[in-house]
Amino acid sequence: NTLFAKVLELLRERDAEDIKVFGGGIIPEGDIPSLKAQGVAEIFTPGAPTGQVVEWVRSHVGSVAA
């Protein structure tokens, strides 16, 4: 909660809220709704297939980058 919140705060301060923030790892299931409410676009928990992450990036970030 601390690290994502700081990243989101810094992006807001720099008018860069169009940057998608996503992450993963060992994050308690109970923290995920709060993180998403704060502005984290997606959370991938341990065991998420790499292909799932890549597909998410392509569908949510790829078209912006192109």
Side-chain angles (χ1 to χ4, degrees):
N1 281 322
T2 305
L3 297 175
F4 281 115
K6 185 64 175 177
V7 169
L8 293 166
E9 174 188 338
L10 292 170
L11 289 171
R12 278 192 296 276
E13 288 175 3
R14 290 162 177 77
D15 293 322
E17 293 177 277
D18 59 323
I19 295 173
K20 299 263 186 198
V21 175
F22 67 98
I26 301 172
I27 299 171
E29 289 289 328
D31 289 352
I32 294 173
S34 171
L35 290 168
K36 288 189 172 187
Q38 291 176 52
V40 176
E42 188 59 81
I43 298 291
F44 297 95
T45 55
T50 303
Q52 179 184 4
V53 179
V54 170
E55 181 58 35
W56 185 90
V57 170
R58 284 184 177 149
S59 64
H60 290 86
V61 179
S63 61
V64 175

